[in-house]
Amino acid sequence: MDNDTTSSDVNGNNRDAIHEEHTGQEWQQLNSQQRLYLLTDFCKFSLPYTNPGSLESWKRVNGTQLYTVHPAEYIDEQDTLHTNWLYGKIGRLLLIWISTQVMLHKADGTLTLVLPRSLNQLMREIGIERNSGKPTGNDYKRFRQSLQAVSGLHTVITTFAGNNFSGSFTGKNFIIADSTEIYWSAQTVSNNSTIKLSKDTFDLIKEHSTPLDAAAVMLLTSTNPITKGRSRGQDLDLYCWLSARNYALIHSGTWQTAPITWKQLSSQFGNTYARTKDFVQWFKKSLNNVQMVWPELNVEVIDGQGIILHRSKRSVTAKRKPTDN
């Protein structure tokens, strides 16, 4: 991949400092490009922000598409059934890590991802660091659960158009992994730990991933002062969705979307809010945070109605196409 992706500075030299924090060899390569990726389908709906517990499925609506997510399950040595949900900031960053690894290795078609041997390295690679420089006991538990969850994630996407007399129905099932082998001891992940991606999912990521700015992802998921100490997945969800919508808008013949209502946005992002006005309040705050790291973003907020996205400069610069000599 070409090292030609740039974007506007945020708070002076913050971007340079952010990129220096990563230590993984491949992640350093990505940081020099300031480009990460996320499967576009995962840009279109939000995963849970907190652990849904024993909930059987998680549903989100995007237009006429229904996304139904099923968790991973396993039985421990006491014959207790456990439900493992992919949720929160860690879940989202792991999906970005997987998508980005695919884009790094898409030329050689490598389906098997080898996990970093230490939890500390994995945390640093996806952008989570502790003041002590070492993972906590809670980190160890959360990452073990999250790795199991991402390995067993099962998503169903259905689209229905029509009525009882005529119409169409389409469905798509996809899983992240065909097989996984994850081993651990104390706070170490074995160097034999792997996630073998489904070939269909590998191809889907390779062909349909949205480019993201590494510094924007870091700022929106950290406790950096620019986001006023917030470290929530909601801001990242909004950034990823707007990146995907803007990318589609750029490649369409139009300059703006049709109005997207608060009801539609709430079904997609925040139907956990009891009142629409609470969702709208959150949405506006998150939009402000996204615009801090993506100042060229042009979103028109229509009070009492919703938003209109106008074609904007990308948060990552488009790659230059090779020219003939």
Side-chain angles (χ1 to χ4, degrees), residues 93 190 206 232 250 295 297 303 315 319:
L93 292 176
S190 169
K206 183 175 67 174
R232 304 176 67 183
I250 289 173
L297 178 64
D303 287 334
S315 68
K319 287 187 174 183

Side-chain angles (χ1 to χ4, degrees), residues 8 28 83 94 123 153 192 212 217 222 279:
S8 301
Q28 286 179 344
T83 300
L94 281 175
M123 289 176 62
L153 193 70
N192 295 321
L212 308 171
V217 170
S222 72
F279 167 77

Side-chain angles (χ1 to χ4, degrees), residues 67-195:
Y67 289 82
T68 304
V69 182
H70 300 277
E73 294 181 322
Y74 70 94
I75 294 179
D76 66 15
E77 57 187 9
Q78 282 81 37
D79 292 330
T80 302
L81 178 65
H82 296 267
T83 300
N84 259 4
W85 279 99
L86 193 67
Y87 68 93
K89 179 174 69 173
I90 291 175
R92 287 159 170 79
L93 292 176
L94 281 175
L95 288 175
I96 291 175
W97 184 83
I98 289 173
S99 298
T100 304
Q101 296 304 305
V102 170
M103 298 303 289
L104 272 173
H105 300 291
K106 65 178 183 179
D108 55 30
T110 302
L111 298 181
T112 301
L113 305 181
V114 179
L115 293 170
R117 184 168 184 175
S118 72
L119 177 57
N120 190 36
Q121 181 183 349
L122 177 60
M123 289 176 62
R124 289 174 66 85
E125 286 198 12
I126 73 170
I128 297 178
E129 298 195 43
R130 299 291 179 244
N131 292 333
S132 65
K134 298 180 180 179
T136 65
N138 188 57
D139 288 330
Y140 176 70
K141 180 180 179 181
R142 279 281 286 115
F143 270 84
R144 176 174 58 80
Q145 292 175 338
S146 296
L147 288 171
Q148 292 172 333
V150 75
S151 301
L153 193 70
H154 173 209
T155 306
V156 182
I157 306 172
T158 54
T159 305
F160 177 79
N163 51 43
N164 291 332
F165 302 100
S166 64
S168 65
F169 172 88
T170 60
K172 177 173 67 175
N173 293 264
F174 72 86
I175 58 175
I176 297 294
D178 266 346
S179 63
T180 57
E181 294 184 13
I182 300 173
Y183 306 96
W184 58 85
S185 175
Q187 294 196 7
T188 299
V189 179
S190 169
N191 58 353
N192 295 321
S193 293
T194 60
I195 298 175

